[in-house]
Structure formats: structure tokens, C-alpha cells
Amino acid sequence: AQSVTQPDIHITVSEGASLELRCNYSYGATPYLFWYVQSPGQGLQLLLKYFSGDTLVQGIKGFEAEFKRSQSSFNLRKPSVHWSDAAEYFCAVGNQAGTALIFGKGTTLSVSS
Amino acid sequence: EAGVAQSPRYKIIEKRQSVAFWCNPISGHATLYWYQQILGQGPKLLIQFQNNGVVDDSQLPKDRFSAERLKGVDSTLKIQPAKLEDSAVYLCASSPQATSGNTIYFGEGSWLTVV
């Protein structure tokens, strides 16, 4: 079955510290991978996406993610977290045919001062 | 460029009542999605349109949910009769085409509380 797992429900990071959010997927076809962020009361905003090529992708707001096929993972990273990064983060998987994305349950990020 | 517009933003109804949500996608976007996001969970696809045709409605509870996209632009999602478990955020999204490489843009959502 196709699925996305985000093992961490809630993470707290100190401002200025580094961040890594985990994402594992199970997908029969070649996956297209996405990270979205959702601030309270807002819709989802795309941070970055991976289709092919370089397995390290850069996104907006200083985020990056690395695709590891052997581990079926697409972890999101940021070297220095800002208080404004506090939000919910969703990993999603799609395919070349453009069928709708399958989302994980999300990870809530809190930033402490 | 205007984003995906949704209304109403918030709605509270009693169980067994009906409700309708409206979505106006980004101009020129052929593909439109309705997702349901229950608190604490990720969005789940309800229905996907390509122009005014349905591509995927396999997860739409058709006994109570219906959706249409007349003229391939605006869309309406209706729930009748509502149940308590329908309390969720209903997200509309659009993309230029349902093909690889196209970013899906989300609206801010319509928050439904069924009491």
C-alpha cells in the first residue's frame, strides 16, 4: 500500500539550532516527493520537491531535503531554525502520472527561545 | 497572481444539516482537488477534477458528499446530511495540469464544525 510515515508527531527545537524532520514512504512506482508547511489557520505552502536528479534539493526559507532511495526516506533539514519556522510540516508522495498526493500525518515544530 | 479562494472560511452546523463549500482555483488551472484534513492528520483526497471531469473520487463518501465543477472553473463541495466525524478542514487545491512537475497550490481551507 502507498503510504507516508512521519515518525515524529511533535518536535521542539531551540532557536538557532539545527532541524531534521523525518519522512519515510512506501510507494510502488518512482516517487515524486514533497514537503509542505502549514501555519495555524493557513493552507499548505510548498517548501520543496524532488522528482529526479540531484538527491539533495533546496527549497524556500533555507530548507533542504535529501532523497535516499535505499532507505525510502526524504528527510527535511534546516541548519538554523528561526522562531517563525514554528508550524506543521507535511511530507507527501506523488507520481509521474500526476495522481493526487498522499500525505503523512505531519510533524508539529515548536521553537523555543 | 490571485491564489485559490475558498468560502466560507468557517462554518458550524448541527448534525444532519447540510453545508456547501465553494472554491475558485487559480486562473487557468485545469486540475482541482478537494482534500479533507481532520485535526491531527494529514490531508486526504476526496475528489480530483481535470477540467470538469472527475479523475478520482474513490475516497469520497458518496452517500453524503457530492462535488461538482461546472464549466471547469469553480467547484462546490456539499455534505448532506453532516455527521460529527465530518468536522474537519476542507482544502481546495489546484494545479496547471495533473502531470509531473506541477506544483499544487492550496487554499486556506474551510473549517467545518459539526455539533
Side-chain angles (χ1 to χ4, degrees), chain B residues 74-89:
Chain B
D74 294 4
S75 177
T76 302
L77 176 70
K78 296 180 181 178
I79 307 174
Q80 181 181 12
K83 292 185 175 181
L84 296 177
E85 58 261 36
D86 298 332
S87 295
V89 181

Side-chain angles (χ1 to χ4, degrees), chain B:
Chain B
E1 177 181 80
V4 177
Q6 292 188 243
S7 68
R9 288 295 314 279
Y10 305 94
K11 191 75 175 180
I12 301 174
I13 62 172
E14 296 182 349
K15 58 183 179 183
R16 291 187 289 274
Q17 287 187 326
S18 63
V19 64
F21 300 114
W22 172 82
C23 173
N24 185 17
I26 293 173
S27 177
H29 281 195
T31 307
L32 185 147
Y33 311 81
W34 283 102
Y35 280 85
Q36 180 192 55
Q37 185 178 15
I38 293 174
L39 185 65
Q41 299 184 19
K44 182 187 80 171
L45 179 73
L46 291 176
I47 189 166
Q48 177 183 349
F49 293 95
Q50 180 71 17
N51 296 309
N52 60 351
V54 176
V55 173
D56 183 357
D57 64 355
S58 58
Q59 299 188 84
L60 186 73
K62 297 180 184 63
D63 58 334
R64 298 183 299 104
F65 286 65
S66 65
E68 60 182 10
R69 191 184 184 195
L70 300 177
K71 302 181 181 179
V73 181
D74 294 4
S75 177
T76 302
L77 176 70
K78 296 180 181 178
I79 307 174
Q80 181 181 12
K83 292 185 175 181
L84 296 177
E85 58 261 36
D86 298 332
S87 295
V89 181
Y90 291 87
L91 295 165
C92 181
S94 70
S95 66
Q97 294 287 342
T99 55
S100 59
N102 282 293
T103 296
I104 297 176
Y105 297 87
F106 285 83
E108 293 185 328
S110 292
W111 296 66
L112 173 65
T113 301
V114 182
V115 297

